[in-house]
Amino acid sequence: MGDILAHESELLGLVKEYLDFAEFEDTLKTFSKECKIKGKPLCKTAGGSLRDSKSLIIQKDLVAAFDSGDQKMFFNLWEEHIPTSIRDGDSLAQKLEFYLHIHFAIYLLKHSVGRPDREELEERISYFKTYLETKGAALSQTMEFLPFYALPFVPNPMVHPSFKELFQDSWTPELKLKLEKFLALIFKASNTPKLLTMYKENGQSNKEMLQQLHQQLVEAERRSMTYLKRYNKIQADYHNLIGVTAELVDSLEATVSGKMITPEYLQSVCIRLFSNQMRQSLAHSVDFTRPGTASTMLRASLAPVRSKDVPLLPSLDYEKLKKDLIWGSDRLKAFLLQALRWRLTTSHPGEQRETVLQAYISNDLLDCHSHSQRSVLQLLHSKSEVVRQYTARLVNAFASLAEGRLYLAQNTTVLRMLEGRLKEEDKDVITRENVLGALQKFSLRRPLQTAMIQDGLIFWLIDILKEPDCLSDYTLEYSVALLMNLCLRSAGKNMCAKVAGLVLKVLSDLLGHENHEIQPYVNGALYSILSIPSIREEARAMGMEDILRCFIKEGNAEMIRQIEFIIKQLNSEELPDGVLESDDDEDEDDEEDHDTMEADLDKDELIQPQLGELSGEKLLTTEYLGIMTNTGKVRRKGLASVQWSVDEPLRRPVTPGGHRNGYPV
């Protein structure tokens, strides 16, 4: 009781603060009145209406200083009330601050009647210059801000084409709106009552812990099945070894008595020691009368025996599976899609994975050859966000394997569905990532490249790449790689020529992006489209060579050599030899023969099984066990690899996964 009384005042204060925050005005009055009647002390919390009013005053003062051009007051308030962690760590805050400095630097030029005061203007420009050399230097690598580093040195910025946007009537109101939204967000976050913060932190922590435990349980069950199989094999080997050892001891005792061991007997013992696959060949091809033969063969066989013998996964009833994928509940559909994907992503590369994929294809798991109104592929348009996402993940897993791409490519309906989902999906980032990943891998195949170019996918890619900082790393990397693959075709280059200025602007901005994984694809796209004379002319007019030379000073050796090739292409007058290596007069297919299964396919799972609920391999083998649905795999002959120097920009279609793994295409 004593402990409760000791903290009662603080607890009552937390309740009062929350009621005030949530605007329960009548409840708050009644609560305060009853506390007063009962003599309960109300602790003064570090929040409430006083803090709200103070926040509003600070916001008004900042906006007033912005409107009046009072640079000194604005940045004093900015540094005092905006937390350092946000100013230094949040990219949006840093960009906003950069534009605010520009606003105050050019304020007199925009608002003075007649000539601005020369001394005050020089002081503002000097202040902006100091900012650029100190805190603002961090953004000098970003193409968006690069032109503004020349602002302090331009005699009359109002007439300079690079700064035309700053002096438009709409620029200042738009910046003010961004400032007001930012301030509202920052001060609202800091006004969150302590009671709500405690609840969120505790609830989120418990939720995350529960999800983690569920995931660990699923993983543990998966591992236990693997370990059980290994244990059974080891136990069988152990019993075999005990039997052989006993026989060998008997044989040694016999030799002491003068009895000879025949080669036939030695051969029979060795055959029992070796794996099943070697027994027949040993029985007919090895001469055990030669000294040391048995021990040499035994040692040689040990290594493969340890890593070989990966068991094939059980066959499944695909008719029942597809029926439940179409007609089952959304939760069942999601678990089935997840389990089928895990079969592909977690299976051992080689015979085990090939058998899984071939079973999926031969049983037309995704209904690629079905003309029915309801098919598994149509789950891409499900009302359930989880089902849409897990369908996209499974399709992306198929597209990660060469045979899977061949299966999906046989029906252009698949491509059209993915393109539609890509343009419509605005709620779920991971769904869009997986659809984009599948399309990017499709772009290794020439017929699908042609279809994507005809469908105008290049314009969609250019549009989203205008704001690369709003994209996830995966979306950015695969968007640029897809754009490059499509730009390698004549039709793609001609499509880019229609919006040459925009394409060149987007690609030149991406050259300075902090995500260095995209650089090979940006370079490859630039090199390819600059083979078109009209695009070269546009690039020269916008000073592309100067932009490229900026990056030569700061790039690594490989990047520098690639940019030098691009500059050479920019200044050429004719098509250089070999630029059409991936053009329309080539063979029908650009497909590479490598499989790259990304870890991202299984990241951030949305669903976890509840207690007693089946998932993963356990769900498949318990409810959907089939008979002889696994079929042998017929390997396609891979295309001959075409290699090029790493010094040159990419000239043939690649996927980011394949490029990172160093696969030649």
Side-chain angles (χ1 to χ4, degrees):
M1 187 70 179
D3 288 342
I4 294 172
L5 290 172
H7 296 291
E8 187 176 36
S9 174
E10 186 180 353
L11 289 168
L12 293 172
L14 291 174
V15 173
K16 180 178 181 293
E17 182 191 26
Y18 179 75
L19 292 173
D20 187 22
F21 171 81
E23 298 179 355
F24 288 105
E25 295 175 5
D26 294 338
T27 308
L28 180 60
K29 286 177 185 175
T30 306
F31 177 73
S32 301
K33 184 179 177 182
E34 192 167 351
C35 285
K36 190 174 181 181
I37 292 170
K38 293 187 175 181
K40 303 287 185 182
L42 277 172
C43 175
K44 299 274 187 182
T45 58
S49 58
L50 181 63
R51 183 174 59 188
D52 290 343
S53 60
K54 186 180 177 185
S55 297
L56 286 172
I57 292 168
I58 295 166
Q59 290 179 63
K60 285 179 181 177
D61 288 346
L62 279 162
V63 173
F66 176 90
D67 288 334
S68 64
D70 192 338
Q71 181 173 262
K72 189 174 180 181
M73 176 182 280
F74 182 90
F75 285 111
N76 283 341
L77 289 169
W78 180 267
E79 289 172 11
E80 182 181 352
H81 297 291
I82 306 300
T84 309
S85 59
I86 293 175
R87 283 189 283 119
D88 295 341
D90 185 89
S91 60
L92 289 175
Q94 289 174 332
K95 290 180 180 182
L96 177 61
E97 187 173 348
F98 192 99
Y99 283 119
L100 288 168
H101 274 279
I102 294 175
H103 165 75
F104 288 107
I106 64 172
Y107 184 84
L108 291 180
L109 295 173
K110 295 185 73 171
H111 296 87
S112 295
V113 179
R115 279 182 169 275
D117 183 277
R118 185 180 180 82
E119 189 177 332
E120 188 180 348
L121 179 60
E122 286 179 355
E123 185 183 336
R124 285 173 179 268
I125 295 295
S126 175
Y127 188 86
F128 180 54
K129 188 179 177 184
T130 304
Y131 166 75
L132 292 178
E133 292 169 351
T134 53
K135 192 176 177 184
L139 294 172
S140 63
Q141 306 300 314
T142 308
M143 279 300 299
E144 181 184 348
F145 300 105
L146 202 55
F148 301 119
Y149 285 81
L151 182 61
F153 308 99
V154 175
N156 190 358
M158 295 180 73
V159 297
H160 197 283
S162 297
F163 310 123
K164 184 171 64 174
E165 182 188 354
L166 302 178
F167 295 94
Q168 291 178 356
D169 293 339
S170 60
W171 189 80
T172 302
E174 285 174 3
L175 181 61
K176 181 179 176 180
L177 185 62
K178 288 179 182 177
L179 173 64
E180 288 172 338
K181 285 182 178 178
F182 175 78
L183 294 175
L185 188 66
I186 291 298
F187 287 108
K188 184 180 178 183
S190 62
N191 287 339
T192 305
K194 192 175 178 182
L195 186 65
L196 185 58
T197 304
M198 290 165 63
Y199 171 77
K200 280 182 177 177
E201 288 175 354
N202 190 45
Q204 184 65 24
S205 175
N206 288 342
K207 185 180 177 183
E208 287 174 358
M209 188 179 292
L210 192 61
Q211 287 178 343
Q212 193 176 1
L213 288 171
H214 271 303
Q215 186 63 29
Q216 287 174 358
L217 180 62
V218 172
E219 291 295 326
E221 286 180 350
R222 237 193 286 176
R223 284 197 301 271
S224 69
M225 291 293 290
T226 305
Y227 293 147
L228 184 62
K229 289 173 184 173
R230 290 181 188 172
Y231 166 75
N232 289 336
K233 187 177 183 306
I234 291 169
Q235 190 177 45
D237 289 343
Y238 168 75
H239 289 304
N240 186 35
L241 284 171
I242 289 293
V244 171
T245 304
E247 285 190 30
L248 289 174
V249 170
D250 290 342
S251 301
L252 284 171
E253 288 179 351
T255 56
V256 173
S257 307
K259 292 182 181 178
M260 293 294 291
I261 296 176
T262 64
E264 290 75 19
Y265 172 75
L266 186 59
Q267 184 180 32
S268 69
V269 171
C270 286
I271 287 171
R272 287 169 60 191
L273 285 172
F274 294 132
S275 63
N276 292 333
Q277 290 89 336
M278 296 181 66
R279 287 180 185 172
Q280 287 187 340
S281 62
L282 285 174
H284 299 292
S285 62
V286 180
D287 182 6
F288 285 92
T289 61
R290 291 169 56 195
T293 300
S295 60
T296 303
M297 287 296 297
L298 182 57
R299 290 190 188 98
S301 70
L302 285 177
V305 166
R306 291 191 191 105
S307 59
K308 216 171 176 180
D309 299 341
V310 176
L312 297 181
L313 295 171
S315 294
L316 301 176
D317 183 344
Y318 287 94
E319 278 191 34
K320 185 182 178 185
L321 262 170
K322 291 203 282 186
K323 183 180 175 184
D324 284 355
L325 280 169
I326 293 171
W327 301 103
S329 67
D330 284 342
R331 187 165 178 82
L332 176 59
K333 289 175 186 176
F335 274 122
L336 287 174
L337 290 164
Q338 182 190 59
L340 291 164
R341 166 168 48 89
W342 280 353
R343 261 209 168 199
L344 273 181
T345 58
T346 62
S347 56
H348 290 270
E351 188 182 5
Q352 191 184 63
R353 179 172 289 167
E354 289 166 1
T355 307
V356 170
L357 181 62
Q358 196 59 34
Y360 286 0
I361 293 170
S362 60
N363 290 282
D364 194 16
L365 177 63
L366 297 180
D367 287 332
C368 287
H369 304 298
S370 170
H371 299 290
S372 172
Q373 288 188 338
R374 296 186 70 105
S375 66
V376 175
L377 267 176
Q378 286 173 344
L379 295 177
L380 279 168
H381 300 297
S382 168
K383 291 180 181 178
S384 165
E385 187 177 308
V386 183
V387 172
R388 284 200 313 273
Q389 183 189 122
Y390 277 33
T391 308
R393 287 184 190 236
L394 181 58
V395 172
N396 195 11
F398 265 87
S400 300
L401 305 170
E403 287 294 324
R405 288 192 286 277
L406 181 62
Y407 166 62
L408 294 169
Q410 290 172 0
N411 188 344
T412 54
T413 306
V414 181
L415 175 66
R416 302 286 185 262
M417 290 182 78
L418 289 171
E419 287 178 335
R421 184 75 267 145
L422 182 68
K423 294 169 184 176
E424 293 167 17
E425 188 60 61
D426 54 0
K427 291 183 180 179
D428 188 80
V429 174
I430 294 179
T431 301
R432 191 167 77 164
E433 282 183 355
N434 279 277
V435 171
L436 180 63
L439 285 170
Q440 202 285 325
K441 292 155 192 168
F442 277 15
S443 69
L444 295 171
R445 305 193 62 81
R446 295 185 65 77
L448 297 181
Q449 287 174 3
T450 303
M452 284 188 260
I453 293 167
Q454 290 172 349
D455 293 344
L457 196 58
I458 284 178
F459 297 136
W460 184 87
L461 291 167
I462 292 166
D463 189 54
I464 66 158
L465 289 171
K466 286 192 286 190
E467 296 186 71
D469 292 337
C470 299
L471 306 176
S472 67
D473 285 342
Y474 187 99
T475 301
L476 177 60
E477 192 175 347
Y478 276 76
S479 297
V480 181
L482 175 55
L483 178 62
M484 184 201 79
N485 285 359
L486 299 182
C487 286
L488 294 173
R489 300 286 301 280
S490 288
K493 294 172 198 174
N494 292 330
M495 198 72 76
C496 289
K498 295 179 182 178
V499 286
L502 180 58
V503 176
L504 289 167
K505 172 76 167 60
V506 167
L507 290 174
S508 60
D509 286 350
L510 290 171
L511 277 171
H513 199 274
E514 59 189 11
N515 185 342
H516 299 298
E517 297 290 338
I518 67 174
Q519 296 310 323
Y521 318 121
V522 176
N523 293 345
L526 264 176
Y527 184 83
S528 180
I529 65 173
L530 286 173
S531 65
I532 302 293
S534 62
I535 298 181
R536 283 204 301 272
E537 189 178 334
E538 182 80 28
R540 290 168 190 160
M542 66 180 284
M544 176 62 76
E545 184 170 351
D546 293 336
I547 294 171
L548 291 168
R549 291 201 181 279
C550 286
F551 294 104
I552 284 183
K553 296 173 185 175
E554 298 168 4
N556 58 39
E558 184 180 327
M559 172 85 162
I560 289 169
R561 287 192 291 269
Q562 289 189 8
I563 289 178
E564 285 170 349
F565 270 94
I566 297 170
I567 292 173
K568 186 178 177 183
Q569 176 83 308
L570 174 64
N571 294 323
S572 68
E573 295 302 329
E574 298 177 0
L575 286 177
D577 292 339
V579 77
L580 294 178
E581 276 186 40
S582 182
D583 229 320
D584 302 329
D585 57 351
E586 267 204 8
D587 296 335
E588 184 187 346
D589 205 357
D590 271 332
E591 175 69 284
E592 43 83 68
D593 201 31
H594 293 288
D595 297 336
T596 307
M597 195 67 76
E598 305 144 349
D600 286 321
L601 288 166
D602 293 332
K603 74 174 184 181
D604 301 332
E605 296 285 359
L606 285 179
I607 55 168
Q608 302 293 342
Q610 295 173 355
L611 199 62
E613 201 170 22
L614 296 175
S615 69
E617 192 63 22
K618 203 166 187 179
L619 171 62
L620 295 178
T621 53
T622 303
E623 301 292 336
Y624 300 93
L625 209 57
I627 301 171
M628 296 297 289
T629 54
N630 289 340
T631 59
K633 178 173 178 353
V634 180
R635 269 195 166 279
R636 284 191 304 140
K637 186 178 179 181
L639 296 175
S641 294
V642 179
Q643 307 232 9
W644 67 88
S645 166
V646 293
D647 296 345
E648 300 178 42
L650 295 168
R651 297 197 209 172
R652 290 183 66 84
V654 296
T655 65
H659 183 64
R660 274 194 294 271
N661 292 337
Y663 294 149
V665 183

